[in-house]
Amino acid sequence: MGAGSVKWVLSVALCALFRSAGCNSVEQKIYVDLNNTIPCVRLLNGTHQMGCQSSISGNTGVLHVLETEADLDWVLKSGPHPPYMVLMDASYFNRYTVMMQLKNSTRVTGVAVVIPSTGPPQGFSPHNKCPNQHTGVYSDSYGPGLADCNVTVWNPLGNGLSFEDFKFPIFSLKDDNQTEAIRKCISDHNVGNNGSAPAYPLCAMQMFSHMHAVTSTATCMRRNYIQEHYSLNPESVCDPLGDFNVWAPLLPLNVTSKGHKANESVVIAATRLDGRSFFWDVATAAEGTVTGFVTLLAAAHALRSVTEQAPPSRNILFTFFQGETFDYIGSSRMVYDMEKKKFVIDLDNVHSVLEIGQVGLREGTNLWMHTDPVSRTNASVDEQVRNLVANLKDSVTGLGINLAEPTVSQPLPPSSFQRFLRARPFPGVVLADHQSSFVNKYYESIYDNAAYLNVTYPSDLSPEEQLEYITDTAKQPFSFSGFQVTQMLYGFLIRTNNSWFRSMISAEDVGTPQYYVGVSVSMTRPSPMTRLVQYLLANLTGTVTALNQTTCQDPSSQRNESKELYSYLWVRGPQSANSTNRDPYCVRSTVRSTLAISPAFELREYESKVYSTWTESRWKSSIKARIFLVASKELEMLTLGVGIAVLLVSLLVTYFISSKAELLFSSTREPSGTTY
C-alpha cells in the first residue's frame, strides 16, 4: 500500500470519526425527536390492505393546526406551502368525513392526532358496524335473513376508519409538553400577520413508518415464500396475527391423548382476550374485552371452591380465546383442532357453550342472555338451551344480577360461539350487557379505557391503596367477589406492575396493559399479557405444592404428580415480612395454552372465506416522528448551488495541487560532492 493509499484510508477514517462525533450533534440541533408517538400501521387480509404508511425516506410537510373549517380549507385548497402535516385534536379525527377529505387530498402528507383520555360524549368507534360479519355463522346457507346485520346493527357508531387504506402516516400524540412544544413551534413560525401567508422558515414535521407488505395477505405470503426459498438473505414482509389460547378444565384431562375422551361431557365457558384500536399496539379494550375475561377468571376461582365439595356432573373448560377481534382466530383454531383430533377433546365431547361477552354493567342494567334462533328450531337443542337459561337464572339468585332474554328474535352478537355453530348446532348462551346494539360507545377504540368504565380512584391514594380499593364498577356485577375483581381491574386497566400481580407470576416482566393480539413470529410462547392471564388462572384455580424450583420444572420423579394431568408453574410469591426477599412457590393446575393462529396459514389458503387471513406488515427502519424548521425552496436551491460551486472549486484546486505536487512538495537536495 502506497503513501497515497495510506493518506486516503486515514482521511476516510477521520471523516467517519468526525461524522459520528459531529454530525449527530448537528442533527440534534436541527431536529426535535418526538417521544410517546403511536403509529397506525398496515394490516392485510385475504383481499385488502388497510392502515397507514410513509414513503421509504419518510413523509415531510409543513405543520398546520386543524381547529376550524377554515383550517381544513387552508390545508386542502388555499394554503401556499403544501404538502401539509396536519395536527388535529381528536374531535376532527373522530369525524369520518374529515379523515376522508384528508385521505383523498394530494396536499396532505401526514396527520398527527392529539388523543385525550376521555372520548367524545356521542361515542366513537373506528371499527365497522357489523364486526366479523363474513366469518360468523350467519350466511346464505345458515339464517340468511340474519346475516350481515340485517336484523340488528351491533355497532351502529362504527365508521370503518380502521379498515381504510391511508397513503400517508397517522400518529397519535399525548396531550403533554411535547404537544405544547409543537403548537408553540407552529404559532411562532407558521402563523402569518393579518391573515397573510407565513414567511419562511416554517415549522415542519417528518414521519417515518414505511411498510413492506402491499396489496393483500395472499401477495405478502407469496413474497415471503419467494424470499425464504430463493434469497440469500431472506426477509419476510408480513407475519400472521396470532398468539396462544389459554384454557383450563375444572377436572383434569389427560393431555397426552388427543381427540375424543370416552364418557366425557364438557361445557365450554369462553371469553376473548384481545381487542384493537386504530393505532398499533394500543388496545385498552376495557369494556370490550377486559370485563369479560375478568368475569370468567372470577367465576373460575369461585367454582373451584364450590366444586371441591360437590363435583359437577359435567366438566367445565374455561377458555380464553386470542385474536377474536380479527375474524375469530382463536376459536376457529380450537374448533379446527377438535375436528382434526389435535385437541385434548373433540367436538363430540362438547355439550354446550357459555360465552361471556361485554359485561361492563352499569347500575340498574340487565345482563342479557343471547341465543341462536336457527339452531333452536331443533327441538332437542331448544330444550337444552331452555335448561341452560333456567340454570343461569338460578345461579345468580341473591347476587344482585338481573338476567333477561332479548324480547325479539335476533341473531347472536359477534361471539366465539358462532365458530362452534359453524361446526354443528350446539346449545349455548352469550352473556352481554346489551339487548340489541352495543351499549359500548367506544367499541374497539382508544377511548374504551378505565375512565369509560368508571374505574377511578381517590387522588390521595397510593398505588398499593388503589389496589385494595373496591371501585363501584367492581361492586356491580361481581358482588360475590368484589375484592378480587377490583384487584384484577386495577391490574389489567391501570397498573400491571403491582404487588398482587408480581406475586403470582414468574420473574419476567409482563409489560403494560395492552390487548392487541400481535404477530406470530416464533410461536414458541404466549405474549406477556396472555402469559399473565395464564399465571393468574393457575393461581386462582390451582393448588400450591411443596415442590422446589427444580422438581416444579420436572415433577415426573415425584409421587402423586402428573404432567399428563397438570401443569406446574414456579411463581415469585409475595414479599417476606420486613424483607425485600420473596417466598416463591410451585402451583399445580390444569391450565394450558395452545396455538391461536388461523388454520388458513397451516392450509396455505391465504384468500380463505372460512378462516381469518389477517397479517401485519413488517417495517425495517424505526417508526418515529420529529419536527424542524424548513427553509424556502429558493434558499434551499441557493444552498445547493453554493455547495456545488464549492465542490467544483475544491476539485479544481485538488487537481491543480495534484498536478504540481512534484514542484510544490519536492525536497531540495544538495549535490553529493559538496565539501566543507
Side-chain angles (χ1 to χ4, degrees), residues 8 96 491:
W8 171 249
Y96 180 80

Side-chain angles (χ1 to χ4, degrees), residues 330-348:
S331 56
S332 63
R333 181 56 188 243
M334 181 171 284
V335 172
Y336 174 82
D337 287 344
M338 287 182 178
E339 291 175 328
K340 301 298 182 182
K341 312 298 182 183
K342 296 180 179 180
F343 193 64
V344 66
I345 60 173
D346 66 4
L347 292 173
D348 292 330

Side-chain angles (χ1 to χ4, degrees), residues 260-265 313 349:
H260 186 71
K261 294 288 192 297
N263 303 317
E264 191 76 56
S265 180
S313 58
N349 291 122

Side-chain angles (χ1 to χ4, degrees), residues 17 62 410 461 480 495 546 625 639 648:
L17 290 172
V62 173
Q410 63 181 8
L461 296 184
F480 63 92
R495 187 187 300 274
T639 304
L648 293 175

Side-chain angles (χ1 to χ4, degrees), residues 216-227:
S216 67
T217 289
T219 301
C220 78
M221 293 302 291
R222 184 170 62 250
R223 290 178 61 188
N224 284 355
Y225 179 86
I226 293 172
Q227 284 282 323

Side-chain angles (χ1 to χ4, degrees), residues 298-317:
H301 175 66
L303 284 173
R304 171 206 173 193
S305 56
V306 172
T307 55
E308 284 179 347
Q309 305 299 324
S313 58
R314 290 188 178 90
N315 207 345
I316 301 174
L317 186 69

